[in-house]
Amino acid sequence: CRVNQQVTVGHTERGQPVIGDRVSIGAGAVVVGPVTVGDDASIGANATVVRDVPPGAVMLAPAAVPR
C-alpha cells in the first residue's frame, strides 16, 4: 500500500476498514468504518470513503464515488 500524508484510517462502533493489497491512498483522504478497500484500488486526495471500494476502482473526492 501507499499511504500519503494526513490520511485517516479509523474505526467506528460498527467496525474498522480492511485495506487490500497494492492500494494507493492520496493525501488527506479519510477511510472510516467497516469498509473494504479492494486490491489495486486508488483513493484520491481528500476523498472520504464510507462504503466498500471495488478492486481496481478509482475513488475521487469529495464524497468518494467510483470513476
Side-chain angles (χ1 to χ4, degrees):
C1 293
R2 188 182 78 197
V3 179
N4 289 297
Q5 69 273 16
Q6 298 181 336
V7 168
T8 300
V9 178
H11 73 280
T12 66
E13 60 279 350
R14 293 179 20 205
Q16 65 278 338
V18 175
I19 309 293
D21 295 329
R22 299 172 305 279
V23 171
S24 176
I25 303 177
V30 177
V31 182
V32 293
V35 299
T36 299
V37 179
D39 295 342
D40 301 305
S42 295
I43 298 171
N46 298 312
T48 300
V49 177
V50 294
R51 294 196 174 110
D52 288 345
V53 178
V58 176
M59 307 297 274
L60 302 176
V65 293
R67 300 281 182 203

